[in-house]
Amino acid sequence: MENITSIQNNRVKAWTKLQTKKGRQVSQTYLIDGWHLVQEAINHGGKLHAIMATQAQYDLHQAELPLGVPVFFIYDDIAKKLSDLVTPQGIFAEVSLPTANRAPQYIHDGAWLFLDAIQDPGNVGTMVRTADAAGFTGVVFGAGSVDPFAPKAIRAMQGSQFHVQIASGDLKEWITEFKRNEFVVYGTQLDPEAVDLFTIQPQTQFALVMGNEGQGMSTELAQMTSQNLYIPLAGHAESLNVGVAAGIAMFALRQR
Amino acid sequence: MENITSIQNNRVKAWTKLQTKKGRQVSQTYLIDGWHLVQEAINHGGKLHAIMATQAQYDLHQAELPLGVPVFFIYDDIAKKLSDLVTPQGIFAEVSLPTANRAPQYIHDGAWLFLDAIQDPGNVGTMVRTADAAGFTGVVFGAGSVDPFAPKAIRAMQGSQFHVQIASGDLKEWITEFKRNEFVVYGTQLDPEAVDLFTIQPQTQFALVMGNEGQGMSTELAQMTSQNLYIPLAGHAESLNVGVAAGIAMFALRQR
């Protein structure tokens, strides 16, 4: 076990770079922050490369740490440097990004969430967490969507990235291949010309596309789906938060 | 029309105080930020006391501003002082807090959302917005819940505070009085011993209690409800974001 005492330490500099997308792509790893996430990674097959812990956190969780993963002791100021929280817990792990995407033509079942240009890391994180809770198999990040492994997104996922598959790709290709594989692909729109979501029979194999916070789903994708759905809104509300809308749609469409 | 040129101006100081709960209680007003909210206030009966706009925003929206409300010209640095956004639009209004709560014994119909110690302003704002979209009549902020008129909450509401009633009070009293008035009061729990939410027949008159982000609903309230419900979770997910859970529950329970 190595004691890291300086914020100028080379490893600290390398871990700090994981806060950026570029840094994560170079290393093919990302950081998780806090015991809950480290535990989820341990219990659900995350590949751990390093654990960084304050003495206090190490003492608390020592018995549950996996063998063969190097542990580094850090001080509070280093924990603050690694975290985007004001008061981080003081335990982190560096874990592998998921391995390369399965190509969509090899996906044959399950419910899948497609994200078209969703911008807010908190929103995408919440949607991955909800997809997990709704029994979805995977979430596909389309062009223009925020990186799934940004620290704020990871925090909102609460470990669900270890339970559902996370892929990135061109949604035009994913929609085409899914339809070839006899998935129904549902788009979502605010347009009441679309079909009322609550009239659809719940099922186990389909894809659901959620669109950008401001613009909704792109016209191009909306023309490719099997059917476009809307959530009927009462009152004077004009729209829903995209994370809430995704939650309502996923729980309404996925057969329990 | 008055030109406000200095950040030290007395009015600017007074408006800045509306960013705090204490300031809002002294003035019985709060600030809304951005044209969308100002427009919602104008169109849905918000009582406006002042409009503050940069020259550019005034030129854009002049024709839609109500007569009889004083307008103050502000510069970008003052707009930044009044806003908690990095790049505010440059138009604000000072509007009245809702008038005193109706006592719960005088409430005879509609769907109501009760918030038990919800802490995050973004979450409560999203829940008010979703309540509006689900056709709810009002939202009651129980003890320990964040102030509904905090800037971040107001931003997440997107104007829905002008469409649904916002009240604050002791939820023990609200639950008791609602049950006396023959409302069904649903609690929400993570406990699968509770009743599956999706087995409940949608209705138009009821209350739904959502609990604190970490602890859930207080035991005391859980014992007072008519029935406690849970959202069945698939996979390994342990819970849902409270705003998402509230959205799923409101759309499942409210008859359309």
Side-chain angles (χ1 to χ4, degrees):
Chain A
M1 268 168 298
E2 191 182 323
N3 247 312
I4 299 185
T5 53
S6 163
I7 214 160
Q8 298 302 328
N9 179 288
N10 249 334
R11 293 190 206 276
V12 174
K13 285 184 188 164
W15 288 324
T16 308
K17 287 191 183 141
L18 302 181
Q19 288 160 358
T20 67
K21 183 171 179 179
K22 196 180 153 204
R24 294 188 291 272
Q25 281 176 337
V26 169
S27 72
Q28 288 295 304
T29 61
Y30 68 104
L31 278 197
I32 51 179
D33 181 350
W35 174 242
H36 175 69
L37 292 187
V38 175
Q39 199 178 26
E40 288 289 310
I42 294 169
N43 293 339
H44 296 283
K47 179 156 174 38
L48 286 82
H49 298 276
I51 291 169
M52 303 75 115
T54 59
Q55 184 71 52
Q57 284 292 313
Y58 180 76
D59 292 346
L60 268 174
H61 303 300
Q62 180 180 8
E64 291 175 74
L65 297 183
L67 293 176
V69 177
V71 175
F72 299 89
F73 284 123
I74 57 173
Y75 291 100
D76 288 348
D77 58 335
I78 295 172
K80 279 187 185 162
K81 181 89 179 159
L82 297 183
S83 179
D84 66 334
L85 295 175
V86 181
T87 50
Q89 239 180 4
I91 187 163
F92 302 82
E94 183 188 350
V95 298
S96 281
L97 292 176
T99 49
N101 296 330
R102 277 201 289 162
Q105 52 270 40
Y106 296 100
I107 292 174
H108 306 290
D109 60 2
W112 290 74
L113 179 66
F114 292 178
L115 305 182
D116 178 26
I118 310 276
Q119 309 259 297
D120 180 80
N123 282 341
V124 301
T126 298
M127 287 193 270
V128 170
R129 178 181 175 192
T130 310
D132 180 16
F136 274 50
T137 301
V139 180
V140 183
F141 285 66
S145 287
V146 73
D147 189 71
F149 299 98
K152 232 190 115 181
I154 291 299
R155 196 159 59 247
M157 285 180 204
Q158 300 240 337
S160 286
Q161 76 270 29
F162 300 114
H163 313 151
V164 299
Q165 298 178 38
I166 306 281
S168 298
D170 178 349
L171 293 186
K172 293 196 290 296
E173 189 193 334
W174 280 73
I175 292 173
T176 306
E177 294 298 339
F178 265 48
K179 282 167 74 184
R180 278 195 193 135
N181 283 355
E182 287 164 15
F183 281 73
V184 183
V185 179
Y186 294 114
T188 46
Q189 295 187 311
L190 275 173
D191 185 1
E193 305 270 299
V195 175
D196 180 341
L197 174 95
F198 294 104
T199 63
I200 302 292
Q201 195 64 31
Q203 52 214 281
T204 55
Q205 177 180 324
F206 65 96
L208 169 70
V209 191
M210 297 300 303
N212 172 272
E213 287 92 341
Q215 269 74 53
M217 198 177 34
S218 77
T219 315
E220 196 180 1
L221 294 186
Q223 287 165 348
M224 295 179 66
T225 55
S226 319
Q227 201 166 36
N228 291 320
L229 311 178
Y230 78 100
I231 298 174
L233 301 187
H236 298 287
E238 288 161 22
S239 63
L240 288 163
N241 166 286
V242 67
V244 173
I248 294 167
M250 287 192 275
F251 273 86
L253 293 174
R254 174 77 176 31
Q255 189 184 312
R256 276 174 296 272
Chain B
M1 266 168 301
E2 191 182 324
N3 247 311
I4 299 185
T5 54
S6 163
I7 214 160
Q8 298 302 327
N9 179 287
N10 249 335
R11 294 191 205 275
V12 174
K13 285 184 188 166
W15 288 324
T16 308
K17 286 190 183 141
L18 301 181
Q19 287 160 359
T20 67
K21 184 171 179 178
K22 197 180 153 206
R24 294 188 292 272
Q25 281 176 338
V26 169
S27 72
Q28 288 294 305
T29 61
Y30 68 105
L31 277 197
I32 51 178
D33 181 350
W35 174 242
H36 175 69
L37 293 187
V38 175
Q39 199 178 26
E40 287 290 309
I42 294 169
N43 294 338
H44 296 283
K47 178 154 174 42
L48 287 83
H49 299 275
I51 292 170
M52 304 74 115
T54 58
Q55 184 70 51
Q57 284 293 313
Y58 180 76
D59 292 346
L60 268 175
H61 304 300
Q62 180 181 8
E64 291 175 74
L65 297 183
L67 294 176
V69 177
V71 175
F72 300 89
F73 284 123
I74 56 173
Y75 290 100
D76 288 347
D77 58 337
I78 295 173
K80 278 187 186 162
K81 181 89 179 159
L82 297 183
S83 178
D84 66 333
L85 294 175
V86 182
T87 50
Q89 239 180 4
I91 188 162
F92 301 82
E94 182 188 350
V95 297
S96 281
L97 292 177
T99 49
N101 295 330
R102 276 200 291 163
Q105 51 270 42
Y106 296 100
I107 292 175
H108 306 289
D109 60 1
W112 290 74
L113 179 66
F114 292 177
L115 304 182
D116 178 27
I118 311 275
Q119 309 259 297
D120 180 80
N123 282 340
V124 302
T126 298
M127 287 192 269
V128 169
R129 179 181 175 191
T130 310
D132 180 16
F136 274 49
T137 302
V139 180
V140 183
F141 285 67
S145 288
V146 72
D147 188 72
F149 299 98
K152 232 190 115 181
I154 290 299
R155 196 161 57 246
M157 285 180 203
Q158 300 239 336
S160 286
Q161 76 271 30
F162 300 114
H163 313 150
V164 299
Q165 297 177 41
I166 306 282
S168 299
D170 178 349
L171 293 186
K172 293 196 290 294
E173 189 192 335
W174 280 74
I175 292 174
T176 305
E177 295 298 339
F178 265 49
K179 283 167 72 186
R180 279 197 191 133
N181 283 356
E182 287 164 15
F183 281 75
V184 183
V185 179
Y186 294 114
T188 47
Q189 295 188 312
L190 275 173
D191 185 1
E193 305 270 300
V195 176
D196 180 342
L197 174 95
F198 294 103
T199 63
I200 302 292
Q201 195 64 31
Q203 52 214 282
T204 55
Q205 178 181 322
F206 64 97
L208 169 70
V209 190
M210 297 300 303
N212 172 272
E213 286 93 341
Q215 269 74 52
M217 199 179 31
S218 77
T219 315
E220 196 180 1
L221 294 186
Q223 287 164 348
M224 294 180 66
T225 54
S226 320
Q227 201 166 36
N228 291 320
L229 310 179
Y230 78 99
I231 298 174
L233 301 186
H236 298 286
E238 288 161 22
S239 63
L240 289 163
N241 166 285
V242 67
V244 173
I248 294 167
M250 287 192 274
F251 273 86
L253 294 173
R254 174 77 175 33
Q255 190 183 310
R256 276 174 297 274

